[in-house]
C-alpha cells in the first residue's frame, strides 16, 4: 500500500507539471473515547483510545479538460493502524450544467451525509448514528449519473448508481465479507426553504461470507441441502429503502433518517434502523441530542418450515435455524447528548456522551464518552 501511495503521488506530481493543476484538500478527525467500566461499545473499551474512529485523509483532483475531472481520495484510519488506502478513485464528465456522469470507485449515496461521511467537520455529531450509518458497505465500483435543477424555490437532484460492492465487516460481533453484484441505487432529494426531504431505494444480488456461520450451514446441508441453500445468503436479492427529513432555520434544527434492509431467501433478518436528532446554535456552540434505534424483525425466518421434517430431526433443524439467525439479530437503542464548538472557520471541537441499551442481551449495555477535533484544509 505504501508503494501504491508513493507511485500515485509521483504520478500526480508529474501530471501537475505536465498539464493539469492538481488541487489538494484534506481533512482529519482526532477522536478519543472511553467506555464505561468493563464495557465495550463501538470498538471502545474502558481504556481511553484514540484509534477507533480517528482518521487522516487527502483528496486530490485535477481537470483533464473543461469537461472531465479526475479525483482520488487517500484515507488512513486509526482502526487500520493508519495504513493508507485508496478509498475513492473516479472520473467525472460534465454532460451539461445540470448533468454529470461519474465512473470508478465512489461513495454510494445511501444517507444524508454519505458524501461527507468521513469529514467530521461537516456534521454536528462526533460520529454519525451507528444504528443507521453503520452499514457493512459504503463504496461502489461502477458508474453514477447526477442530475440537479430547480423549479421556482424548489431545488432537487437525482442520483442513479450502478456497479458492484465488496467490503469486509463486523456484524453482530461476527467477522465477514459481503459482495453485491448488479447493485443499483436511486436517490432523490428536494430542498424547499428550510426543509429538506430525501428518499433512496436500492437492490443488489448479495453474498455473505461469514466464517463462523459456515459450519452451521454445512450441518444443515447434511440434513437437507435444499433447505440449507434457502437459508444461505448466496447471490440473493437484497434491498435497501431509506427516507430522511430535515428542518433547519439556522437557529435550530431537527432531522431524522429511517432505513430498512432485507435479503430475501436467506438467514439475514429484516433490519429497521432510525434516528432523530435536534440542536440549537448559540454563537459558536451547538448543543444537540440524538436518539437512535436498531430494530431487527422479531419473527425468525423459515422456522414454520421445520414441521416438514420427520419428528426425530425437527428439534435439531429448529435449533440450527434459530441459532443461525439469532447470531446476527440486533435490537438496541442509544441516546446521546453532545456539543459542538466552532473554534475557527475550519476547526470544530466536539464532545458527547452516549448511553447504549441492548434489548436482547443486557450484558452489552454500556456508556461512552468521546471527544473530537475535526478540521479541514
Amino acid at each position: 500500500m505504501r508503494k501504491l501511495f508513493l507511485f500515485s503521488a509521483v504520478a500526480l506530481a508529474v501530471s501537475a507539471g505536465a498539464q493539469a493543476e492538481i488541487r489538494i484538500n484534506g481533512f482529519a478527525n482526532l477522536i478519543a473515547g472511553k467506555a464505561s467500566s468493563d464495557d465495550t461499545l463501538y470498538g471502545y473499551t474502558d481504556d481511553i483510545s484514540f484509534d477507533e474512529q480517528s482518521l487522516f485523509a487527502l483528496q486530490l483532483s485535477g481537470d483533464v479538460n473543461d469537461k472531465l475531472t479526475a479525483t482520488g481520495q487517500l484515507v488512513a484510519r486509526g482502526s487500520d493502524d493508519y495504513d493508507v488506502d485508496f478509498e475513492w478513485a473516479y472520473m467525472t464528465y460534465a454532460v451539461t450544467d445540470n448533468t454529470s456522469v461519474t465512473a470508478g470507485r465512489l461513495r454510494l449515496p445511501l444517507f444524508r451525509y454519505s458524501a461527507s461521511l468521513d469529514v467530521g467537520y461537516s456534521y454536528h455529531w462526533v460520529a454519525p448514528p451507528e444504528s443507521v450509518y453503520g452499514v457493512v458497505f459504503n463504496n461502489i465500483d461502477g458508474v453514477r449519473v447526477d442530475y440537479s435543477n430547480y423549479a421556482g424555490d424548489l431545488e432537487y437532484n437525482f442520483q442513479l448508481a450502478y456497479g458492484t460492492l465488496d467490503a469486509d465487516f463486523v456484524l453482530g460481533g461476527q467477522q465477514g465479507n459481503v459482495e453485491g453484484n448488479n447493485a443499483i441505487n436511486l436517490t432523490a432529494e428536494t430542498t424547499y426553504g428550510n426543509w429538506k426531504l430525501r428518499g433512496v431505494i436500492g437492490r443488489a444480488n448479495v453474498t455473505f461470507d461469514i466464517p463462523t456461520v459456515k459450519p452451521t450451514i454445512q450441518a444443515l446441508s447434511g440434513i437437507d441441502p435444499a433447505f440449507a441453500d434457502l437459508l444461505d445468503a448466496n447471490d440473493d436479492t437484497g434491498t435497501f429503502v431509506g427516507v430522511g427529513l430535515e428542518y433547519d432555520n439556522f437557529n435550530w434544527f431537527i432531522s431524522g433518517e429511517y432505513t430498512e434492509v432485507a435479503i430475501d431467501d436467506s438467514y439475514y433478518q429484516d433490519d429497521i434502523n432510525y434516528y432523530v436528532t435536534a440542536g440549537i446554535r448559540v454563537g459558536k456552540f451547538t448543543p444537540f441530542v440524538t436518539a437512535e434505534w436498531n430494530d431487527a424483525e422479531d419473527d425468525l425466518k423459515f422456522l414454520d418450515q421445520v414441521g416438514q421434517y420427520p419428528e426425530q430431526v425437527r428439534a435439531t433443524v429448529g435449533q440450527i435455524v434459530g441459532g443461525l439467525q439469532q447470531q446476527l439479530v440486533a435490537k438496541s437503542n442509544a441516546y446521546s447528548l453532545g456539543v459542538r464548538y466552532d473554534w475557527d472557520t475550519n476547526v470544530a471541537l466536539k464532545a458527547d456522551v452516549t448511553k447504549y441499551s441492548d434489548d436482547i442481551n443486557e450484558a452489552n449495555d454500556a456508556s461512552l464518552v468521546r471527544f473530537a477535533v475535526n478540521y479541514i484544509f
Side-chain angles (χ1 to χ4, degrees):
M1 184 56 66
R2 295 181 186 276
K3 291 181 179 179
L4 173 59
F5 174 76
L6 291 173
F7 173 80
S8 302
V10 171
L12 286 168
V14 171
S15 298
Q19 45 180 291
E21 177 184 352
I22 301 300
R23 297 179 292 275
I24 302 177
N25 301 296
F27 56 91
N29 306 325
L30 177 62
I31 302 175
K34 183 182 186 303
S36 46
S37 180
D38 297 325
D39 293 326
T40 300
L41 184 60
Y42 306 151
Y44 293 97
T45 66
D46 57 0
D47 293 323
I48 190 167
S49 172
F50 290 84
D51 294 335
E52 298 304 323
Q53 294 174 306
S54 295
L55 62 82
F56 183 89
L58 291 175
Q59 186 173 99
L60 307 97
S61 61
D63 298 326
V64 179
N65 54 44
D66 60 350
K67 290 283 190 178
L68 190 63
T69 302
T71 303
Q73 183 163 294
L74 297 158
V75 181
R77 299 181 183 275
S79 58
D80 295 329
D81 202 24
Y82 290 101
D83 288 339
V84 179
D85 192 14
F86 233 128
E87 294 206 357
W88 292 1
Y90 58 83
M91 302 190 76
T92 301
Y93 181 76
V95 180
T96 68
D97 291 340
N98 304 105
T99 306
S100 64
V101 178
T102 302
R105 171 163 292 182
L106 45 103
R107 183 58 51 85
L108 189 62
L110 296 175
F111 311 112
R112 166 71 173 87
Y113 290 100
S114 282
S116 62
L117 183 60
D118 294 325
V119 187
Y121 185 82
S122 68
Y123 41 76
H124 58 284
W125 303 292
V126 170
E130 186 71 19
S131 59
V132 170
Y133 282 78
V135 295
V136 298
F137 52 81
N138 277 304
N139 296 328
I140 186 170
D141 295 330
V143 61
R144 189 184 71 217
V145 178
D146 292 70
Y147 177 81
S148 60
N149 212 328
Y150 64 91
D153 294 331
L154 180 70
E155 298 181 22
Y156 58 90
N157 66 75
F158 300 95
Q159 294 179 307
L160 178 64
Y162 178 83
T164 60
L165 312 167
D166 190 344
D168 297 324
F169 65 87
V170 177
L171 183 65
Q174 308 298 321
Q175 298 279 346
N177 173 269
V178 61
E179 293 183 1
N181 296 313
N182 296 317
I184 186 167
N185 190 86
L186 175 63
T187 302
E189 185 173 281
T190 63
T191 301
Y192 183 80
N194 299 324
W195 292 91
K196 179 172 289 186
L197 173 67
R198 73 186 311 275
V200 56
I201 184 169
R203 67 160 304 281
N205 297 329
V206 179
T207 298
F208 276 114
D209 180 8
I210 305 177
T212 57
V213 168
K214 286 184 177 180
T216 307
I217 294 292
Q218 291 171 353
L220 186 59
S221 183
I223 300 173
D224 186 344
F227 194 43
D229 183 65
L230 176 64
L231 264 73
D232 196 10
N234 184 20
D235 201 32
D236 293 317
T237 300
T239 57
F240 179 95
V241 177
V243 63
L245 181 62
E246 175 182 339
Y247 176 83
D248 188 340
N249 68 4
F250 305 105
N251 294 317
W252 61 273
F253 62 87
I254 183 170
S255 65
E257 290 184 86
Y258 173 96
T259 64
E260 293 185 5
V261 182
I263 302 177
D264 296 339
D265 298 331
S266 79
Y267 56 77
Y268 187 92
Q269 290 296 109
D270 295 350
D271 212 7
I272 297 173
N273 307 282
Y274 48 101
Y275 75 83
V276 177
T277 187
I280 59 175
R281 298 184 178 95
V282 183
K284 293 186 176 183
F285 289 92
T286 305
F288 62 88
V289 295
T290 302
E292 54 182 298
W293 297 266
N294 183 318
D295 190 13
E297 185 67 39
D298 286 322
D299 296 331
L300 299 181
K301 299 162 71 174
F302 308 121
L303 281 180
D304 58 337
Q305 299 185 27
V306 172
Q308 67 181 300
Y309 299 102
E311 184 177 353
Q312 59 268 30
V313 298
R314 286 179 195 165
T316 301
V317 174
Q319 186 176 17
I320 292 174
V321 175
L324 172 62
Q325 296 177 82
Q326 287 177 335
Q327 287 185 64
L328 304 174
V329 168
K331 292 176 70 69
S332 63
N333 60 78
Y335 300 92
S336 301
L337 178 66
V339 62
R340 168 180 174 144
Y341 175 72
D342 286 283
W343 185 29
D344 205 342
T345 54
N346 61 340
V347 182
L349 309 179
K350 303 175 187 174
D352 72 6
V353 57
T354 299
K355 182 174 178 55
Y356 173 89
S357 298
D358 190 318
D359 297 340
I360 296 176
N361 184 0
E362 65 180 18
N364 294 328
D365 293 357
S367 297
L368 175 66
V369 176
R370 290 177 294 188
F371 300 91
V373 180
N374 304 131
Y375 60 92
I376 56 176
F377 58 91

